[in-house]
Every structure is written in C-alpha cells, then in structure tokens.
Amino acid sequence: MTASITRKTTTPKTRKTLNSRILAVGVVAVAGSMLLTACGDQTNSSKKTESTDSSSQAGAPLKDQLPKAIADKGKIKVGSDIAYPPVEFKDSAGKTVGIDPDIAAALGKQLGVTFEFENGTFDTLITGLRSKRYDLAMSAMTDTKDRQEGVDSETKKKVGEGVDFVDYFTAGVSIYTKKGDDKGIASWADLCGKKIAVQRGTVSEDMAKAENAKCGAKGKITIEAFDNDLEAQTRLRAGGADAGSSDFPVAAYAVKTSGGGNDFQIVGEQVEAAPYGIAVAKGNDQLRDAIQKALDAIIKNGEYKKIVDKWGVSAGAVTEAKINGGT
C-alpha cells in the first residue's frame, strides 16, 4: 500500500512541540516495508543512560571541531524518548537501538566521541537542553519555527529561548485505527466527535487540537495524551480510543509488528511532511556546526545511506545537513 502526502494548513506546535511540521517533502513509502518516524524528555525518575557504539576515537577527522570540554570528555549526552520504534527503542536484550542510535554512532566516529542516550519523556527534552542536562536532544523531533523560537505552538506565547536544529530526516504524520474497524475515519476531519490516542507534546497532538477548532456541530475530538507512543497504542488496542496518530514511520512500524500485523491499519493520507532535527541549545553554535559537518560527512561517505536502508526508511533520507530548515 502506498501512502501519499497532503499538505495541511494547521499550524504545528513545537513536534514532538516538544511535544512533530509543515514542509512538503516527498516521504512516500510502502507501509509494509517502512519501519519508522515524531519524540521524549525526562520527568521520569527512572533515568537510564546508554552509550552508542562508536569506533575508536583515534583519527576521528572532525574531533577538533567540537567544543574543547566535550572533546576532552569524550562523550555527548543525548536526551531521547526511547520508546518510539523504530526511531529509538529497547531491543529484547534491553539495548537502545533504532535509526537515531545508529546515526549517532556514525556521527561519533567522525567526532571521536560516544553519544550517550538518556531516556526521558518527550515533552521535557527541550527543557533538559536549557538546563544543560543534555548536550543534544535526538528523538524524532520535528524541526519547526515555533521550536526554534521557543514559542508554544498552541498559545503562540514565548516559553523559552528556543533551540537550533541540524536536520537529518524527513517524515509525515499518519492516523491509524484497529485493523478492520476504521470507524469511518479517513482524514483528520473524520475524527470530530471521536476519540484519539496520541503521545503528549507531539505534532499529532497539535494537529488534533487544531482540528477541534473546525469541528463545529460534528462534536469535538476527545484527545487522550500519553507519555509515550507505546502507551497510546495500548489504549487503542484495548478499545479505549477510535484512532491513534504518530509519525508515519512509527505508525507503519506499529502496523507491521503489533500483534503480528493484525492489530492496526493506517487510514487516509500521510500529511505534514517535515524534517526531523537534532536539537542543540541556542548559543551552542560550535557543537551545532560540528554535528552538521559530521552529518554531511556520513552522507558523503555512504554510512548514512546504509543506516536508512537497514531500517527501510530511505524515502525519508536527506542529501545534506541543514540548520533550522523547518517552517
């Protein structure tokens, strides 16, 4: 089944505002083969840290591009919601795996450091950057102007100084339902009068809130927001919601894997295609630029292509590392 992308006119929150986008990018993929996509930060007390497996730091061509304190320390702390397969998640052995960890490990080879992933809830990741809890946030986070400027996408009020993004992937948003029971849902407008389960702070939540303003006599959308996407999937699977929504790669992965492929189906079109960005605190220009150079290097040497091919998400690949390319 092929998904097409429709550009919606809703204004995204800061995606996964912090908790997903509006950049018409052609992310068209076969749902059965696609394994990914939107988000997390850390209000959880169960803090877990795990380093990516980067190769020997000796001879790393871009190590001198890093801030000295980070280069000397030999590691970069990454805030991430590690419950968003196939972008980042725990495998059966408890190891952090996925698209983001693989890209981080490849970046680490260029920079001569390890990327240490720290688990947290999506909607607190940017706050963690501000407080210097993390050096970076890498969690299927959509690069939006609101996030860049520190603006709450719902209220349009300034809530922080914002962040810079190094864009490394593109993805859209999808709606999914229980398999064989779409409740007549084929678009966002069809959600009026129904209940949707989403991850808190994501573009999916933002879009549901924006759609509510247009529902009128059809009735409001009941929005149930959870700390992570897996909890939202569980709610839908149990019959507690009519639909769920997440980034297309994530939705496609859930459709393919949950219940052996028997739990969910994607309905309607993929919308709001936009870039994922690695978030860096404002003012940390040297680290931001080093990440950009390292990403360009792995795109050029073919490591990036190997990773997106491995996870079946080459349709969302970028050809260059852009800073703040989201709108």
Side-chain angles (χ1 to χ4, degrees):
M1 178 177 67
T2 300
S4 60
I5 296 174
T6 299
R7 189 183 181 111
K8 287 180 71 77
T9 57
T10 55
T11 300
K13 198 176 185 176
T14 58
R15 183 187 204 161
K16 264 172 166 181
T17 300
L18 243 189
N19 283 190
S20 256
R21 58 189 145 283
I22 295 174
L23 177 64
V25 187
V27 182
V28 181
V30 179
S33 65
M34 191 83 168
L35 297 151
L36 157 197
T37 289
C39 321
D41 181 356
Q42 277 99 280
T43 52
N44 292 348
S45 58
S46 56
K47 169 175 141 182
K48 296 181 182 178
T49 297
E50 185 169 336
S51 297
T52 59
D53 180 18
S54 59
S55 64
S56 170
Q57 296 180 10
L62 296 173
K63 187 167 185 175
D64 63 352
Q65 300 296 306
L66 286 169
K68 188 175 185 303
I70 289 179
D72 290 347
K73 187 169 52 176
K75 66 181 179 181
I76 291 176
K77 293 182 67 176
V78 183
S80 186
D81 177 9
I82 309 174
Y84 208 61
V87 187
E88 52 264 315
F89 62 105
K90 298 284 187 180
D91 66 11
S92 58
K95 181 181 178 181
T96 299
V97 296
I99 298 161
D100 283 359
D102 282 358
I103 289 175
L107 296 176
K109 293 176 186 178
Q110 296 294 317
L111 297 167
V113 295
T114 55
F115 281 62
E116 189 174 273
F117 278 68
E118 187 171 306
N119 192 28
T121 55
F122 186 81
D123 57 353
T124 60
L125 292 180
I126 286 178
T127 306
L129 282 177
R130 290 194 208 115
S131 66
K132 299 185 178 180
R133 184 173 188 173
Y134 321 117
D135 300 308
L136 305 173
M138 191 173 185
S139 192
M141 187 179 293
T142 302
D143 174 2
T144 68
K145 284 294 184 186
D146 284 346
R147 284 186 176 140
Q148 293 168 26
E149 297 169 0
V151 172
D152 184 292
S153 62
E154 185 176 2
T155 65
K156 293 305 175 184
K157 292 182 179 179
K158 184 85 169 172
V159 293
E161 60 185 6
V163 296
D164 286 330
F165 287 100
V166 180
D167 298 337
Y168 67 100
F169 193 77
T170 58
V173 180
S174 290
I175 301 169
Y176 58 97
T177 66
K178 293 184 73 172
K179 192 166 186 177
D181 187 17
D182 63 17
K183 306 288 186 183
I185 299 168
S187 69
W188 284 87
D190 296 328
L191 289 167
C192 294
K194 296 182 174 65
K195 182 183 291 187
I196 188 170
V198 297
Q199 181 174 355
R200 185 176 295 108
T202 61
V203 169
S204 292
E205 183 182 23
D206 296 341
M207 290 180 64
K209 289 178 178 178
E211 195 66 43
N212 257 339
K214 302 183 249 179
C215 283
K218 294 185 290 185
K220 295 289 187 182
I221 303 169
T222 300
I223 304 167
E224 287 200 62
F226 296 85
D227 284 344
N228 62 63
D229 197 69
L230 296 178
E231 291 177 358
Q233 291 177 26
T234 299
R235 181 65 165 165
L236 176 59
R237 191 183 298 112
D242 300 305
S245 175
S246 58
D247 293 352
F248 176 71
V250 175
Y253 186 86
V255 166
K256 182 179 177 64
T257 61
S258 181
N262 295 315
D263 287 346
F264 305 128
Q265 64 186 20
I266 289 177
V267 295
E269 298 177 327
Q270 181 185 175
V271 299
E272 304 277 350
Y276 281 170
I278 301 170
V280 187
K282 289 287 188 185
N284 204 349
D285 296 359
Q286 187 176 0
L287 176 58
R288 177 200 67 195
D289 294 348
I291 296 296
Q292 181 190 31
K293 290 173 183 175
L295 181 56
D296 273 332
I298 66 171
I299 291 171
K300 184 176 181 180
N301 71 16
E303 284 298 307
Y304 176 85
K305 184 178 186 303
K306 290 179 183 178
I307 293 166
V308 295
D309 286 350
K310 167 187 172 181
W311 290 102
V313 296
S314 58
V318 297
T319 57
E320 63 176 324
K322 292 184 179 180
I323 292 175
N324 296 334
T327 59

